[in-house]
């Protein structure tokens, strides 16, 4: 059974940095792309960043490009999301997801989700 678990959320001030981590177990981690999404109440879950199985392919939404960095360590079955220059608009529940293939297209084609971790950015 696949399990996806996020960690690292919290409350920070605008301009601060935060790192989210995600571990996925239960199937061959190296074979699958991974992604970070976020959701605020009343809105659709949106993609933040995604990374291919090898780590060579990376996608960022326009709203985080240049501020967030996604990375993965296939030896530890983890991905990270380094979030810099955080803004109040980044406040959301952040979800980690595992794709069904080694690539992240279609962007929303997630097989397994984590439970989410709250990130709150105060101005």
């Amino acid at each position: 059974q696949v399990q996806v678990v996020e960690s690292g959320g919290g409350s920070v001030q605008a301009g601060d940095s935060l790192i989210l981590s995600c571990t996925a177990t239960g199937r061959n981690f190296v074979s699958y792309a991974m992604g970070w999404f976020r959701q605020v109440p009343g809105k659709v879950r949106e993609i933040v960043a995604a990374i291919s199985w090898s780590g060579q392919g990376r996608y960022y939404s326009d709203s985080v490009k240049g501020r967030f960095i996604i990375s993965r360590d296939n030896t530890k079955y983890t991905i990270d999301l380094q979030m810099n220059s955080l803004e109040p608009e980044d406040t959301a529940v952040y979800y980690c997801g595992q794709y069904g293939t080694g690539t992240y297209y279609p962007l929303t084609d997630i097989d397994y989700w984590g439970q989410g971790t709250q990130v709150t950015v105060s101005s």
Side-chain angles (χ1 to χ4, degrees):
Q1 183 172 347
V2 175
Q3 286 193 315
V4 180
V5 180
E6 305 97 336
S7 63
S11 296
V12 297
Q13 297 292 315
D16 286 350
S17 297
L18 199 61
I19 298 177
L20 303 182
S21 295
C22 171
T23 299
T25 57
R27 60 181 184 177
N28 189 9
F29 182 81
V30 175
S31 297
Y32 300 97
M34 300 288 296
W36 285 100
F37 294 70
R38 65 188 182 188
Q39 189 170 24
V40 297
K43 292 194 175 181
V44 175
R45 190 173 299 184
E46 63 174 5
I47 187 165
V48 174
I51 190 165
S52 66
W53 70 274
S54 66
Q56 290 191 338
R58 303 182 190 195
Y59 168 89
Y60 296 98
S61 69
D62 288 343
S63 60
V64 307
K65 197 174 296 182
R67 299 188 297 124
F68 290 11
I69 300 171
I70 188 170
S71 61
R72 68 187 292 157
D73 185 339
N74 285 340
T75 66
K76 298 180 180 178
Y77 309 142
T78 62
I79 67 167
D80 288 339
L81 185 69
Q82 171 74 50
M83 304 187 293
N84 301 316
S85 302
L86 282 161
E87 304 168 352
E89 293 74 22
D90 295 315
T91 296
V93 177
Y94 283 71
Y95 295 90
C96 178
Q98 188 175 66
Y99 287 84
T101 69
T103 64
Y104 42 76
Y105 289 110
L107 287 172
T108 58
D109 197 21
I110 295 292
D111 273 5
Y112 297 98
W113 292 100
Q115 80 288 351
T117 186
Q118 176 71 45
V119 172
T120 302
V121 184
S122 302
S123 58

